[in-house]
Amino acid sequence: MPVMIKRTFFCLVTVVSIISISGCDSGGSGVPEIVGNVGYAAIKPLGAFFPRDEVRTVKPVMQLSRTVPWDWQPPASRERDWKAIIIHHSVTHNGNARVFHDFHKNVRKWDGIGYDFVIGNGNGSGNGQVEVTYRWRQQVAGAHCGGTPRNWANEEAVGICLVGDFTKTPPTTGQLQSLARLVKFLQSKYRIPSSRIYGHGSTPGYTGGTMCPGDKFPMTAFKRML
Ligand SMILES: [Zn+2]
């Protein structure tokens, strides 16, 4: 009997050892595999810098447009009825959404960055890179064109800021191409005619007298790109 117990114990140890070894090795290469929608959910958007970004809705892959970046799509549950588009320049040589967010929040004492989108010029972010801010993700009113009747411009117009000082130099070709792509998307989605695309200073009802987006922003030529 003692011999049988010994053999049984030996067999058990052997079986457990084999299971343990094969179990540890079942992960293959050891590289974590990203499946399904996890890839999108796992991506940290630039908006992750923004404190209110955590309520962003991540849409299933199948619902995403194949023609525009996934984060241009607003959450359907809180989408606003946008009526116009207002273009700004940053009046800085460089910058990005995070820099402007910090400035607007800490210096201006606003909730955060005033624009819905920022388009980089290669200094501080990519040339033509489109950054989406929390204002767009959460579909809240902007803080980019105050002083219009009933604050209509902030409530109903999408604010897009291009990095640069267009009183001195024009926007880059990359910026204009990205802007055209973004504006065409917005026009199509909200049926906004080109006549309702304004430079900040030309916004109807605005009396602030700003030069924004600068006399070197080629509005007429830009509208021909649409
Ligand atoms: Zn402006």
Side-chain angles (χ1 to χ4, degrees), residues 86-91 115 144-145 160-161 199-201 206 210-213:
I86 298 178
I87 298 169
H88 304 261
H89 66 157
S90 66
V91 206
Y115 313 110
H144 58 89
C145 189
I160 305 172
C161 178
H200 182 177
Y206 176 77
T210 179
M211 293 290 290
C212 181

Side-chain angles (χ1 to χ4, degrees), residues 207-218:
T207 56
T210 179
M211 293 290 290
C212 181
D215 57 3
K216 294 199 167 43
F217 180 84

Side-chain angles (χ1 to χ4, degrees), residues 93-136:
H93 172 68
N94 56 5
N96 55 49
R98 184 178 187 179
V99 169
F100 303 148
H101 175 75
D102 289 344
F103 179 74
H104 288 171
K105 187 177 179 66
N106 300 325
V107 179
R108 300 282 195 213
K109 304 298 182 187
W110 298 343
D111 290 344
I113 187 168
Y115 313 110
D116 295 284
F117 297 93
V118 175
I119 301 180
N121 66 354
N123 302 308
S125 60
N127 181 17
Q129 179 183 350
V130 178
E131 294 182 275
V132 184
T133 80
Y134 81 92
R135 299 236 181 219
W136 184 252

